[in-house]
Structures are given as structure tokens and as C-alpha cells.
């Protein structure tokens, strides 16, 4: 959402109730301006950023599947903000989208988020107010919902990928609405980084590596060294059968869980036209007897069973540099409309199944994200594939998804290349 949407929507918005804290996992997130050593000290000093609880990323919030999670957001910024719990199927009032699900949290105010996460897996949280700017400034953090019976691993490592657009002094370049960036691939940082926690790795250890792409616009081709194993989950949802990984292409907001055995120094690099760009590394100090048990599938989350689609809808991505003209009033559009409209893209009865064709009629890739739900990506034969909340659609591609709209409320549907979202590529749906 941007400031214009908040002003437009505030007149019709009924304030969502602020939940009181209850038993379960309780946290406080304080959004404030902070300084952090983003680039190595030999190149530049501290960078002025925005963070939760004094750091970027914010704290790793952990809760158990089915356990009530209560988070009090305190806004110590000089502007409004809100927190979206990305990928979590929760009650609509807690989704964190100003002007659609809640009021803006103004400077000096607080808001209590209170929900029970039904799904185990890897998720994340981020600002959803002028998000192309506040996410670029650092209002991001990991959210981990633990399985009732977690897999047996020696290390559980959550890695947050992002990039930064910095000047020679190591400070953020504040051209968040740069028209060139918005009309092309988006805001591409000149310094990319993986926030990887410290761990004393041994050769032969088994690790669970949770990858989160928290970048504003960058697609990360992730080159992983020192591990042999399998992908076990995408966007928080376990795969029915683990599969091998090569160089995962991760769109903004997508997640990937890998369970693997350590074979050498753990390295994370970004594939680049000039070669491999280093993101992070953990050395191996010694060896241990390797495990001999196979890598099994994670316990499944509850997935809705799709019925026969009640209708086929089309969401056509339009605009951008070198794109065709469209009828919207911004750089980007869905179906000839730019930005949040008074009427939703679709209205659905609770439990209704619909098929949506995601048509990329532009020269740039887009990561389409639906709030409050996951959906099945369909293969070329129409069979249900991965269960995701964000789907990467390449230029000229048509990708079909099948969604059971079983979560009532008003939910945003947008490109998670957040510069594209700010340039008009956003809409919403309503579930009765």
C-alpha cells in the first residue's frame, strides 16, 4: 500500500479491533531508525536504516504450530507503519494492510497482532505501508512456526537474503520512486547480502537451511555450496516428496527449506552474469560420522481439497518499459486497471474453488502474491503442483493457479516486486 491508497481507503475503513494479549508466544516489535554495519567495515561505516528491535533483519520470531502468537508493534518511527505476516493463513483483521484490514499505526502508537498460525513452516514479516520504501530500509524479519514434531537435524539455520542500494559512503540511496527502476526490473541494490546465523558446523552434520528472499525486487539465483540434500518445503508448505536442488531461482517473498548434510564449508552465492557473487559463508572446523538415514518429507500442513472450479479468471500483467499501452493511470496495471480499485478483482463464496490464469504481457518477470491463502500451481496438463503463496511468472508466460478461497475477508493480490506494486500492480479479492 502507498500513502494515496491509505488516504483513499481510510474513509470507508472500519477500525479493526486491537486484540489483547493471550496465553502463548508473546513478542514486542519496536520499529525505529537504527544504524547497522551493513557492508564490511573496511569499505564503509554504519548505514542508517530502519529496523525492528534495533537490527536488520528483526528478531527471529518463533512459535509452535497451533500456538497463539501475540506481537505488539510499537511505532517509534516518524511516519506510519504496519506489519504483514507473509504467507500465514490467519484471520483477516491481523493481516497488516493499512486501509484494507487495519488502520495505519501512527508514530508513537502501537497495535496488537494476535493469531493462531495453523501451518508450520518458514514465513516472514515486513512492513506493508509504502513497503517498497520501508522494506528497502530494513523493516523485515523471519517468522518460524515449528512443527509439532520437528525433523531431526543438528542445526536449524534461517537465512534472510536481501540487497541494498548504497552510495560510496555506505548510506541508502533514497530514490525509492525512481521512475526508471519502477518501470524496469525494480530497485536493484549494488550490494547483496545473506544474513546467516553463526553455527559451529562439522562435516557430516545435518542442517535445515531456511531461505527467505526479503529483497524489494531482486530475484536471487542461489548457489549453495557444501551441502548435499533435498528441498523439503516451498513458501512454508512441505513437499509431498523431497526433491533435489540445483540453483534455486527465488522471487521476492518466496521461501525454500532444504535439509542437507554438510560436505564442506557452507557457502551462499548469487548467480550473476559476471560469475558468482558471494553472499555469506560458514566454515567447517572438523568432521563427524555422517548420518545414514534418508531425508524424509516434513509433516504435511492441512491443505484444502480443490473442488471443480466455479469459474476461470484472468489476471493480465500490463505496462512497464517496452510494454504495451494499457488503460490504467500508472506505470503498471492488472487488466487495464492501476492500483487498488473500489471493486475487488473477484468475490468468492467461502470454500469456492477458482482457477486464475496469470498472464505476463510485459517484458519483465513478476512475483504474484495472494494474501491469506496458498494456491496450487498447475502444470501443463492441468494437474495440481506446488502449494505456494507467491508465484514467479516470467515475461510472456501464462501460469495457471487453482485456489480454494476458504479464508473470509478482504485480501490483497499484488506483484511482490514491490516497486511494481507501488507503480500500480495491485488489486484485492473478497471472500464472504
Amino acid at each position: 500500500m502507498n500513502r494515496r491508497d491509505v488516504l483513499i481507503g481510510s474513509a470507508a475503513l472500519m477500525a479493526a479491533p486491537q486484540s489483547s494479549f493471550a496465553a502463548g508466544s508473546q513478542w514486542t516489535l519496536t520499529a525505529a531508525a537504527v544504524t547497522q554495519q551493513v557492508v564490511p567495515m573496511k569499505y564503509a561505516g554504519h548505514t542508517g536504516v530502519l529496523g525492528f528491535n534495533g537490527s536488520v533483519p528483526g528478531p527471529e520470531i518463533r512459535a509452535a504450530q497451533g500456538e497463539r502468537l501475540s506481537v505488539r508493534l510499537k511505532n517509534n518511527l516518524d511516519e506510519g507503519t504496519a506489519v504483514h505476516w507473509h504467507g500465514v493463513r490467519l484471520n483477516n483483521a491481523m493481516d497488516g494492510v493499512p486501509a484494507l484490514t487495519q488502520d495505519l499505526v501512527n508514530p508513537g502508537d502501537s497495535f496488537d497482532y494476535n493469531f493462531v498460525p495453523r501451518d508450520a513452516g518458514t514465513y516472514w514479516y515486513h512492513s506493508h505501508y509504502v513497503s517498497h520504501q520501508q522494506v528497502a530500509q530494513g523493516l523485515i524479519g523471519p517468522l518460524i512456526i515449528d512443527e509439532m514434531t520437528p525433523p531431526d537435524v543438528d542445526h536449524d539455520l534461517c537465512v534472510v537474503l536481501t540487497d541494498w542500494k548504497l552510495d560510496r559512503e555506505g548510506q541508502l540511496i533514497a530514490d525509492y520512486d525512481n521512475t526508471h527502476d519502477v518501470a524496469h526490473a525494480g530497485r536493484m541494490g549494488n550490494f547483496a547480502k545473506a544474513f546467516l546465523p553463526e553455527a559451529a558446523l562439522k562435516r557430516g552434520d545435518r542442517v535445515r537451511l531456511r531461505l527467505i528472499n526479503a529483497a524489494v525486487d531482486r530475484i536471487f539465483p542461489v548457489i549453495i555450496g557444501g551441502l548435499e540434500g533435498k528441498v523439503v518445503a516451498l513458501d512454508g508448505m512441505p513437499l509431498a516428496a523431497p526433491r533435489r536442488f540445483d540453483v534455486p531461482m527465488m522471487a521476492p517473498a518466496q521461501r525454500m527449506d532444504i535439509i542437507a548434510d554438510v560436505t564442506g564449508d557452507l557457502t551462499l552465492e548469487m548467480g550473476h552474469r559476471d560469475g558468482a557473487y558471494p553472499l555469506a559463508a560458514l566454515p567447517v572446523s572438523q568432521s563427524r560420522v555422517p548420518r545414514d538415514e534418508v531425508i524424509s518429507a516434513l509433516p504435511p500442513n492441512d491443505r484444502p481439497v480443490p473442488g471443480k472450479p466455479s469459474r476461470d479468471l484472468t489476471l493480465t500483467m500490463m505496462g512497464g518499459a517496452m510494454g504495451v499501452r494499457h488503460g490504467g493511470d500508472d506505470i503498471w496495471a492488472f487488466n487495464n486497471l492501476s492500483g487498488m480499485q473500489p471493486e475487488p478483482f473477484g468475490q468468492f463464496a467461502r470454500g469456492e474453488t477458482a482457477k486464475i490464469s496469470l498472464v505476463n504481457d510485459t517484458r519483465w518477470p513478476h512475483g504474484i502474491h495472494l494474501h491469506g491463502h496458498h494456491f496450487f500451481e498447475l502444470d501443463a496438463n492441468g494437474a495440481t503442483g506446488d502449494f505456494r503463496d507467491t508465484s514467479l511468472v516470467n515475461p510472456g508466460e501464462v501460469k495457471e493457479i487453482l485456489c480454494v478461497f476458504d479464508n473470509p475477508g478482504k485480501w490483497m493480490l499484488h506483484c511482490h516486486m514491490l516497486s511494481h506494486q507501488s507503480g500500480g500492480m495491485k488489486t484485492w479479492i473478497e471472500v464472504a
Side-chain angles (χ1 to χ4, degrees), residues 42 66 84 143-144 165 197 207 221 257 259 266 280 302 344 367 391 418:
K42 62 181 179 180
H84 169 57
L143 170 64
I144 307 302
K165 193 174 182 180
V207 301
D257 287 43
I259 294 181
L266 173 56
D302 179 33
S391 190
L418 296 175

Side-chain angles (χ1 to χ4, degrees), residues 346-429:
Q347 291 179 297
F348 306 94
R350 187 173 183 180
E352 182 178 355
T353 300
K355 184 170 73 172
I356 303 175
S357 295
L358 305 176
V359 180
N360 187 348
D361 193 19
T362 80
R363 300 295 185 91
W364 308 96
H366 303 287
I368 303 302
H369 171 52
L370 174 62
H371 287 218
H373 299 76
H374 278 61
F375 49 78
F376 295 93
E377 294 180 329
L378 302 181
D379 67 17
N381 299 315
T384 55
D386 294 329
F387 194 47
R388 308 202 69 151
D389 62 56
T390 305
S391 190
L392 178 61
V393 189
N394 288 308
E397 184 181 12
V398 177
K399 183 171 286 187
E400 293 186 332
I401 63 172
L402 195 68
C403 185
V404 180
F405 291 97
D406 58 356
N407 199 352
K410 297 178 179 179
W411 303 101
M412 200 167 176
L413 173 63
H414 64 98
C415 178
H416 219 287
M417 276 72 168
L418 296 175
S419 294
H420 296 169
Q421 174 198 276
S422 72
M425 198 172 277
K426 53 193 167 185
T427 185
W428 60 290
I429 61 101

Side-chain angles (χ1 to χ4, degrees), residues 191-194 220 223 267-272 275-281:
F191 178 73
K193 185 170 184 175
F220 274 95
I223 302 171
T267 59
L268 295 173
E269 298 175 307
M270 178 179 68
H272 193 266
Y277 180 98
L279 298 171

Side-chain angles (χ1 to χ4, degrees), residues 277-301:
Y277 180 98
L279 298 171
L282 277 178
V284 170
S285 58
Q286 51 185 305
S287 298
R288 51 161 285 178
V289 177
R291 296 168 179 255
D292 56 7
E293 63 267 27
V294 299
I295 296 171
S296 302
L298 296 173
N301 288 325

Side-chain angles (χ1 to χ4, degrees), residues 8-275:
I8 290 172
S10 60
L13 177 69
M14 296 183 64
Q18 292 199 2
S19 305
S20 58
F21 284 105
S25 181
Q26 299 185 12
W27 298 75
T28 297
L29 285 178
T30 301
V34 299
T35 58
Q36 185 162 316
Q37 192 69 48
V38 172
V39 299
M41 192 175 297
K42 62 181 179 180
Y43 298 118
H46 286 77
T47 303
V49 295
L50 304 182
F52 290 113
N53 295 8
S55 70
V56 179
E60 181 180 294
I61 294 179
R62 293 191 86 108
Q65 183 179 13
E67 174 188 45
R68 182 163 297 279
L69 176 60
S70 302
V71 182
R72 174 162 293 164
L73 169 66
K74 293 184 178 180
N75 185 4
N76 286 356
L77 304 170
D78 58 5
E79 60 181 320
T81 195
V83 174
H84 169 57
W85 310 94
H86 187 108
V88 182
R89 298 189 284 178
L90 40 54
N91 48 311
N92 189 244
M94 298 291 103
D95 194 45
V97 181
L100 193 65
T101 69
Q102 70 167 85
D103 287 325
L104 186 66
V105 184
N106 290 308
D109 290 347
S110 64
F111 187 88
D112 291 345
Y113 295 95
N114 192 327
F115 55 91
V116 178
R118 59 189 278 195
D119 303 310
T122 302
Y123 305 96
W124 65 300
Y125 59 91
H126 63 84
S127 167
H128 221 298
Y129 176 64
V130 287
S131 51
H132 69 292
Q133 177 174 327
Q134 291 194 348
V135 169
Q137 291 173 295
L139 288 183
I140 58 176
L143 170 64
I144 307 302
I145 307 301
D146 288 313
E147 296 87 357
M148 295 178 185
T149 305
D152 180 20
V153 297
D154 299 299
H155 305 276
D156 189 330
L157 304 175
C158 185
V159 181
V160 178
L161 305 166
T162 190
D163 64 351
W164 306 84
K165 193 174 182 180
L166 305 171
D167 62 21
R168 291 182 177 275
E169 284 69 47
Q171 300 307 308
L172 286 169
I173 299 173
D175 61 343
Y176 305 104
D177 296 305
N178 179 300
T179 301
H180 178 277
D181 290 353
V182 174
H184 289 75
R187 181 182 175 90
M188 294 290 113
N190 49 16
F191 178 73
K193 185 170 184 175
F195 291 92
L196 174 64
E198 292 292 330
L201 293 184
K202 297 178 183 178
R203 188 177 285 102
D205 278 350
R206 179 158 289 183
V207 301
R208 180 175 185 169
L209 191 68
R210 305 173 185 261
L211 299 172
I212 302 171
N213 184 355
V216 174
D217 295 300
R218 182 179 292 280
I219 299 170
F220 274 95
V222 186
I223 302 171
I224 303 170
L227 293 181
E228 288 186 2
K230 299 287 183 70
V231 178
V232 294
L234 295 172
D235 289 356
M237 295 297 172
L239 300 177
R243 68 180 66 145
R244 61 173 297 181
F245 65 90
D246 293 312
V247 180
M249 296 289 292
M250 297 186 64
Q254 289 186 328
R255 287 91 62 214
M256 176 177 289
D257 287 43
I258 294 170
I259 294 181
D261 296 323
V262 177
T263 59
D265 292 346
L266 173 56
T267 59
L268 295 173
E269 298 175 307
M270 178 179 68
H272 193 266
R273 62 179 179 269
D274 296 326

